[in-house]
Amino acid sequence: MTVADVRAFNRFYTGVIGILDNAYLDSPYSLTEVRVLFELSAGTAETAALRTGLGLDAGYLSRILTRFDREGLITRSPSPDDARRQVVGLTDAGRAVLTDLDARSNAEIGALLDRVPPADHAALVGAMRRIQRLLTGAERAYLLRPLKPGDLGWVVHRHGVRYAEEHGYDWTFEALVARVVADYVEHHDPRREAAWIAEVDGEPAGSIFCVRASEDTAQLRLLLVEPQARGLGIGKRLVEECVRFARRAGYRRIVLETVSDVEVARGIYKRAGFTPIAEKPVRKWGGDVVEETWALEL
């Protein structure tokens, strides 16, 4: 990443949204003037607070407020705490102007999004959130949600890719995941089975399934966390959610099958209270692995 790259993106994006135009959304007001109106929409504010919050020069803000006062968009009065300070608020006319600008902005952004395929909306919003997070230094957050269309294919694909890259498994492993997913759909009992996707920056980043093994036993399946999302506690949270659901569904026990070389996942299972109860060496997925069965009494 270079300074030139960032500047090139800035030029592109400001051109897309028309931020360089003298008039904002074909209105009589500049973007800075609209930002002042927006700040006042939350309630009255002292001019000093407005100036600091928006990073404006005192003289520039004074000229903006003078114009708004002349057009009847704001009220100005001395602060009740200190008569030397001025408090500014919107009039009904000011709120009407802001409402109109808000509607125009929604229409413009809607037209912009119409040029983007609906399937790419989540990726676009996720990229915007990621840029904002990276530039502000905010901590990454994640969301756990139920399955939605497209997730099942993602689960199969990402398991195939991740286990091939990290453990050398061949495509027979991906075929196994596809069968597990297909069985979940074909025999799904919503009272006793559930699945979750973890999202980071609006994109899928993890998965887990809780399925019926028997009347008394649930099975944890398809735990996955993408590399870029690791370190956020997603794996731990997914396992906790699966165990919590199994308890609510009335199971007395939950089991899982794993292999000995997935150390991170095994650590998560151990901390959640699972213990290994059986193991056997087998040759599958293009190599030699040690299959393990773990269990947790509920």
Side-chain angles (χ1 to χ4, degrees):
M1 175 63 69
T2 66
V3 171
D5 293 324
V6 175
R7 293 185 65 186
F9 178 80
N10 287 344
R11 289 193 297 271
F12 161 76
Y13 189 63
T14 53
V16 167
I17 63 175
I19 199 173
L20 299 180
D21 298 341
N22 291 329
Y24 180 71
L25 297 173
D26 294 323
S27 73
Y29 306 104
S30 68
L31 177 61
T32 303
E33 289 171 328
V34 173
R35 285 194 64 198
V36 173
L37 289 174
F38 180 79
E39 288 297 316
L40 292 174
S41 67
T44 58
E46 291 188 0
T47 53
L50 273 177
R51 185 174 65 251
T52 301
L54 294 172
L56 296 178
D57 173 77
Y60 185 25
L61 177 60
S62 177
R63 289 192 294 274
I64 291 174
L65 294 179
T66 297
R67 176 188 178 182
F68 287 169
D69 192 9
R70 185 172 62 248
E71 296 180 0
L73 305 184
I74 62 169
T75 61
R76 295 203 280 190
S77 60
S79 168
D81 299 322
D82 186 342
R84 294 170 298 179
R85 301 202 299 261
Q86 190 177 67
V87 174
V88 184
L90 287 181
T91 62
D92 288 343
R95 281 186 285 272
V97 166
L98 191 58
T99 298
D100 176 64
L101 290 171
D102 194 46
R104 293 192 199 188
S105 180
N106 286 340
E108 184 177 78
I109 296 301
L112 180 63
L113 289 175
D114 285 342
R115 292 153 47 187
V116 180
D120 292 333
H121 285 186
L124 176 64
V125 173
M128 289 177 169
R129 289 173 178 167
R130 189 173 186 184
I131 290 172
Q132 186 177 18
R133 174 175 55 77
L134 290 172
L135 292 180
T136 59
E139 292 185 6
R140 286 190 297 171
Y142 64 86
L143 167 72
L144 257 57
R145 60 165 176 79
L147 295 176
K148 64 182 183 181
D151 286 336
L152 296 178
W154 179 87
V155 169
V156 174
H157 170 64
R158 296 314 298 168
H159 271 79
V161 171
R162 287 269 55 80
Y163 278 84
E165 291 182 351
E166 297 180 11
H167 302 286
Y169 292 179
D170 63 18
W171 61 358
T172 60
F173 177 75
E174 189 171 349
L176 167 68
V177 176
R179 285 194 294 273
V180 171
V181 167
D183 287 344
Y184 177 82
V185 174
E186 185 174 354
H187 306 293
H188 181 55
D189 178 355
R191 299 172 304 163
R192 309 209 74 195
E193 296 182 315
W196 298 266
I197 295 293
E199 281 189 359
V200 176
D201 292 329
E203 293 290 327
S207 67
I208 200 166
F209 285 58
C210 182
V211 302
R212 181 184 183 275
S214 69
E215 185 62 28
D216 294 332
T217 304
Q219 185 172 1
L220 183 158
R221 308 207 75 169
L222 304 182
L223 173 66
L224 176 77
V225 179
E226 293 279 25
Q228 71 273 16
R230 293 171 188 171
L232 300 179
I234 290 176
K236 175 177 178 290
R237 174 72 189 284
L238 285 168
V239 170
E240 290 174 347
E241 196 67 27
C242 185
V243 170
R244 189 178 300 117
F245 175 85
R247 285 198 177 100
R248 290 199 307 266
Y251 292 109
R252 298 174 60 185
R253 189 177 192 236
I254 183 169
V255 299
L256 64 89
E257 293 180 353
T258 187
V259 291
S260 60
D261 59 344
V262 289
E263 289 296 333
V264 174
R266 292 170 83 251
I268 293 172
Y269 300 144
K270 183 176 181 179
R271 288 188 291 275
F274 286 86
T275 55
I277 59 173
E279 68 174 45
K280 62 177 180 179
V282 296
R283 182 164 184 82
K284 60 187 344 182
W285 309 324
D288 296 318
V289 299
V290 178
E291 279 191 333
E292 299 178 341
T293 301
W294 293 52
L296 171 65
E297 301 300 322
L298 301 175

